[in-house]
Amino acid sequence: DVVMTQSPLSLPVTLGQPASVSCRSSQSLVYSDGNTYLTWFQQRPGQSPRRLIYKVSNRDSGVPDRFSGSGSGTDFTLKISRVEAEDAGIYYCMQATHWPPTFGQGTKVEIK
Amino acid sequence: EVQLVESGGGLVQPGGSLRLSCVASGFTFSSYWMSWVRQAPGKGLEWVAKIKQDGSEKYYVDSVKGRFTISRDNAKNSLYLQVNSLRVEDTAVYYCARQGPGYWGQGTLVTVSS
C-alpha cells in the first residue's frame, strides 16, 4: 500500500497567521490518465471529515479561499493563508491513485 | 442537499455479524461510486470498500477481504456493508461516503468486544 506521511503531526497556530501541512507519498500519485488524485480533508472535533481540496489544488464548493493545495509527484502541501478559529481540527491527506486509497496520519491544527 | 444517513452499528461479540446501511438523498444515487470508510476511536481513517454504480465492481482493503461484503440497492437509494467474523480491531465509526469522497455521512459506531 502507498504510505502517506504528514508533517507536522501537531501544529499550534496564532489566529491570523499562516499554516502549512506537508504530505509525502511513498510512490508517485500521477495516475495513467494524467491526473493526480491527492485530496485534503478537514475533520473538526465530533464531526465527519469534510473534503477541502481534490486533485491537488481544486477547492471544493464553499471552502474559503484561504485554503490552497499544491504539489506534484510525491510531495504535497496544504496551506491556510490566515488561520481562523473555525479552522481548528485534524487535517488528512489521502491518495486515491493506487488501490487501496490511503490516508496520512493526520495533522492536528490547534489555535494558540 | 446531499445526505447520507448510516445505521446498523452496535455492540457485538468477536466473531459476530452486523449489517450496516446507508440511505442516500439529494442526488442521483445510481450515478456514483459509493464507499465505506472507517475510523477507530481516536485514530485515523481507513478505506474499507467501494462499489461501482451498478454494483458490478467491488473492491476491498485486504484486512476485510472475505469477511465484509459491500452491496447497494439503487431502487432504494441504499448502500450496505455486511460485516462478518468481526474482530476487536474492527471497532470503529463506519462512514458511508460518496465518490471522492466528496460527501460523508455522520457515521455509525461498531464496537466489537466480549
mmCIF file of all heavy atoms in Angstrom, chain A residues 4 10 14 16 21-22 24-25 32 35 38 40 45 59-60 62 68 73 90 96 105 111-112:
data_model
loop_
_atom_site.group_PDB
_atom_site.id
_atom_site.type_symbol
_atom_site.label_atom_id
_atom_site.label_comp_id
_atom_site.label_asym_id
_atom_site.label_seq_id
_atom_site.Cartn_x
_atom_site.Cartn_y
_atom_site.Cartn_z
ATOM 1 N N MET A 4 1.317 7.348 3.198
ATOM 2 C CA MET A 4 1.205 8.798 3.190
ATOM 3 C C MET A 4 1.748 9.324 4.520
ATOM 4 O O MET A 4 1.259 8.927 5.581
ATOM 5 C CB MET A 4 -0.253 9.210 3.004
ATOM 6 C CG MET A 4 -0.903 8.623 1.747
ATOM 7 S SD MET A 4 -0.156 9.203 0.235
ATOM 8 C CE MET A 4 -0.747 10.892 0.194
ATOM 9 N N SER A 10 1.392 17.885 14.813
ATOM 10 C CA SER A 10 0.724 18.868 15.641
ATOM 11 C C SER A 10 1.193 20.252 15.212
ATOM 12 O O SER A 10 2.394 20.464 15.001
ATOM 13 C CB SER A 10 1.054 18.634 17.122
ATOM 14 O OG SER A 10 0.426 19.612 17.932
ATOM 15 N N THR A 14 -1.231 30.794 15.613
ATOM 16 C CA THR A 14 -1.860 32.012 16.117
ATOM 17 C C THR A 14 -2.903 32.488 15.114
ATOM 18 O O THR A 14 -2.683 32.421 13.891
ATOM 19 C CB THR A 14 -0.805 33.102 16.325
ATOM 20 O OG1 THR A 14 0.184 32.614 17.256
ATOM 21 C CG2 THR A 14 -1.422 34.381 16.851
ATOM 22 N N GLY A 16 -4.910 34.416 12.532
ATOM 23 C CA GLY A 16 -4.455 35.376 11.546
ATOM 24 C C GLY A 16 -3.124 35.056 10.906
ATOM 25 O O GLY A 16 -2.745 35.690 9.909
ATOM 26 N N VAL A 21 0.773 22.401 5.985
ATOM 27 C CA VAL A 21 0.870 20.977 6.293
ATOM 28 C C VAL A 21 1.460 20.256 5.093
ATOM 29 O O VAL A 21 1.021 20.466 3.952
ATOM 30 C CB VAL A 21 -0.512 20.380 6.624
ATOM 31 C CG1 VAL A 21 -0.388 18.884 6.940
ATOM 32 C CG2 VAL A 21 -1.167 21.122 7.787
ATOM 33 N N SER A 22 2.450 19.426 5.357
ATOM 34 C CA SER A 22 3.109 18.683 4.295
ATOM 35 C C SER A 22 2.612 17.246 4.243
ATOM 36 O O SER A 22 2.294 16.645 5.271
ATOM 37 C CB SER A 22 4.619 18.696 4.533
ATOM 38 O OG SER A 22 5.278 17.827 3.636
ATOM 39 N N ARG A 24 3.653 13.580 2.126
ATOM 40 C CA ARG A 24 4.518 12.897 1.168
ATOM 41 C C ARG A 24 4.048 11.470 0.965
ATOM 42 O O ARG A 24 3.675 10.790 1.923
ATOM 43 C CB ARG A 24 5.968 12.912 1.657
ATOM 44 C CG ARG A 24 6.590 14.276 1.608
ATOM 45 C CD ARG A 24 8.062 14.281 1.971
ATOM 46 N NE ARG A 24 8.636 15.600 1.755
ATOM 47 C CZ ARG A 24 9.865 15.941 2.081
ATOM 48 N NH1 ARG A 24 10.681 15.066 2.635
ATOM 49 N NH2 ARG A 24 10.297 17.164 1.849
ATOM 50 N N SER A 25 4.100 11.017 -0.269
ATOM 51 C CA SER A 25 3.666 9.660 -0.587
ATOM 52 C C SER A 25 4.871 8.789 -0.917
ATOM 53 O O SER A 25 5.899 9.277 -1.384
ATOM 54 C CB SER A 25 2.695 9.674 -1.775
ATOM 55 O OG SER A 25 3.297 10.259 -2.910
ATOM 56 N N SER A 32 -2.519 7.032 -14.571
ATOM 57 C CA SER A 32 -2.323 6.808 -16.004
ATOM 58 C C SER A 32 -3.105 7.793 -16.865
ATOM 59 O O SER A 32 -2.764 8.002 -18.039
ATOM 60 C CB SER A 32 -2.698 5.375 -16.381
ATOM 61 O OG SER A 32 -4.010 5.083 -15.954
ATOM 62 N N ASN A 35 -3.982 12.566 -14.246
ATOM 63 C CA ASN A 35 -4.414 13.254 -13.038
ATOM 64 C C ASN A 35 -3.648 12.758 -11.810
ATOM 65 O O ASN A 35 -3.142 11.630 -11.788
ATOM 66 C CB ASN A 35 -5.912 13.041 -12.798
ATOM 67 C CG ASN A 35 -6.766 13.798 -13.791
ATOM 68 O OD1 ASN A 35 -6.569 14.994 -14.015
ATOM 69 N ND2 ASN A 35 -7.724 13.118 -14.402
ATOM 70 N N LEU A 38 -4.842 13.394 -5.240
ATOM 71 C CA LEU A 38 -4.443 13.746 -3.881
ATOM 72 C C LEU A 38 -5.509 14.689 -3.331
ATOM 73 O O LEU A 38 -5.814 15.720 -3.940
ATOM 74 C CB LEU A 38 -3.071 14.418 -3.878
ATOM 75 C CG LEU A 38 -2.369 14.737 -2.546
ATOM 76 C CD1 LEU A 38 -2.957 15.968 -1.855
ATOM 77 C CD2 LEU A 38 -2.388 13.556 -1.585
ATOM 78 N N TRP A 40 -7.372 16.563 0.255
ATOM 79 C CA TRP A 40 -7.244 17.032 1.638
ATOM 80 C C TRP A 40 -8.611 17.091 2.302
ATOM 81 O O TRP A 40 -9.579 17.566 1.707
ATOM 82 C CB TRP A 40 -6.609 18.415 1.686
ATOM 83 C CG TRP A 40 -5.164 18.451 1.325
ATOM 84 C CD1 TRP A 40 -4.623 18.754 0.112
ATOM 85 C CD2 TRP A 40 -4.057 18.189 2.195
ATOM 86 N NE1 TRP A 40 -3.254 18.689 0.165
ATOM 87 C CE2 TRP A 40 -2.877 18.337 1.438
ATOM 88 C CE3 TRP A 40 -3.946 17.833 3.547
ATOM 89 C CZ2 TRP A 40 -1.605 18.160 1.979
ATOM 90 C CZ3 TRP A 40 -2.685 17.652 4.083
ATOM 91 C CH2 TRP A 40 -1.525 17.811 3.304
ATOM 92 N N PRO A 45 -13.639 18.561 15.602
ATOM 93 C CA PRO A 45 -13.980 17.656 16.714
ATOM 94 C C PRO A 45 -15.435 17.234 16.680
ATOM 95 O O PRO A 45 -16.335 18.064 16.544
ATOM 96 C CB PRO A 45 -13.671 18.522 17.941
ATOM 97 C CG PRO A 45 -12.623 19.474 17.480
ATOM 98 C CD PRO A 45 -12.955 19.789 16.054
ATOM 99 N N ARG A 59 -10.312 23.458 -5.066
ATOM 100 C CA ARG A 59 -11.062 23.691 -3.835
ATOM 101 C C ARG A 59 -12.519 23.306 -4.012
ATOM 102 O O ARG A 59 -13.138 23.624 -5.046
ATOM 103 C CB ARG A 59 -10.951 25.185 -3.471
ATOM 104 C CG ARG A 59 -10.962 25.474 -2.000
ATOM 105 C CD ARG A 59 -10.614 26.919 -1.656
ATOM 106 N NE ARG A 59 -10.847 27.851 -2.724
ATOM 107 C CZ ARG A 59 -9.907 28.515 -3.358
ATOM 108 N NH1 ARG A 59 -8.653 28.354 -3.043
ATOM 109 N NH2 ARG A 59 -10.217 29.345 -4.344
ATOM 110 N N ASP A 60 -13.080 22.651 -3.009
ATOM 111 C CA ASP A 60 -14.498 22.282 -3.059
ATOM 112 C C ASP A 60 -15.368 23.520 -2.898
ATOM 113 O O ASP A 60 -14.951 24.536 -2.323
ATOM 114 C CB ASP A 60 -14.829 21.279 -1.958
ATOM 115 C CG ASP A 60 -14.678 19.848 -2.444
ATOM 116 O OD1 ASP A 60 -15.643 19.303 -3.021
ATOM 117 O OD2 ASP A 60 -13.600 19.292 -2.255
ATOM 118 N N GLY A 62 -17.748 26.098 -1.461
ATOM 119 C CA GLY A 62 -17.986 26.520 -0.087
ATOM 120 C C GLY A 62 -16.753 26.563 0.787
ATOM 121 O O GLY A 62 -16.809 27.033 1.923
ATOM 122 N N SER A 68 -5.520 26.460 0.306
ATOM 123 C CA SER A 68 -4.984 26.159 -1.013
ATOM 124 C C SER A 68 -4.130 24.898 -0.947
ATOM 125 O O SER A 68 -3.530 24.581 0.095
ATOM 126 C CB SER A 68 -4.161 27.321 -1.555
ATOM 127 O OG SER A 68 -3.029 27.552 -0.747
ATOM 128 N N GLY A 73 3.746 14.867 -7.979
ATOM 129 C CA GLY A 73 4.519 13.637 -7.803
ATOM 130 C C GLY A 73 4.306 12.972 -6.456
ATOM 131 O O GLY A 73 3.366 12.202 -6.290
ATOM 132 N N ILE A 90 -8.408 18.352 12.712
ATOM 133 C CA ILE A 90 -7.378 17.471 12.164
ATOM 134 C C ILE A 90 -7.504 17.457 10.651
ATOM 135 O O ILE A 90 -8.594 17.330 10.102
ATOM 136 C CB ILE A 90 -7.510 16.053 12.735
ATOM 137 C CG1 ILE A 90 -7.377 16.100 14.265
ATOM 138 C CG2 ILE A 90 -6.436 15.143 12.145
ATOM 139 C CD1 ILE A 90 -7.570 14.765 14.944
ATOM 140 N N ALA A 96 -5.781 8.528 -3.887
ATOM 141 C CA ALA A 96 -6.713 7.579 -4.498
ATOM 142 C C ALA A 96 -6.214 7.148 -5.868
ATOM 143 O O ALA A 96 -6.985 6.637 -6.682
ATOM 144 C CB ALA A 96 -8.104 8.190 -4.593
ATOM 145 N N GLN A 105 -1.515 10.293 8.540
ATOM 146 C CA GLN A 105 -1.836 10.088 9.967
ATOM 147 C C GLN A 105 -2.686 11.209 10.543
ATOM 148 O O GLN A 105 -3.297 11.053 11.604
ATOM 149 C CB GLN A 105 -0.553 10.008 10.813
ATOM 150 C CG GLN A 105 0.587 9.251 10.190
ATOM 151 C CD GLN A 105 1.548 10.193 9.484
ATOM 152 O OE1 GLN A 105 1.155 10.904 8.562
ATOM 153 N NE2 GLN A 105 2.800 10.176 9.920
ATOM 154 N N ILE A 111 -5.389 26.211 17.771
ATOM 155 C CA ILE A 111 -5.287 27.667 17.806
ATOM 156 C C ILE A 111 -4.654 28.070 19.130
ATOM 157 O O ILE A 111 -5.143 27.698 20.204
ATOM 158 C CB ILE A 111 -6.657 28.333 17.657
ATOM 159 C CG1 ILE A 111 -7.392 27.757 16.437
ATOM 160 C CG2 ILE A 111 -6.502 29.847 17.559
ATOM 161 C CD1 ILE A 111 -6.676 27.956 15.137
ATOM 162 N N LYS A 112 -3.582 28.835 19.033
ATOM 163 C CA LYS A 112 -2.878 29.256 20.265
ATOM 164 C C LYS A 112 -3.673 30.325 20.985
ATOM 165 O O LYS A 112 -4.318 31.172 20.377
ATOM 166 C CB LYS A 112 -1.501 29.806 19.917
ATOM 167 C CG LYS A 112 -0.497 28.714 19.626
ATOM 168 C CD LYS A 112 0.920 29.277 19.707
ATOM 169 C CE LYS A 112 1.444 29.597 18.338
ATOM 170 N NZ LYS A 112 2.856 30.008 18.353
#
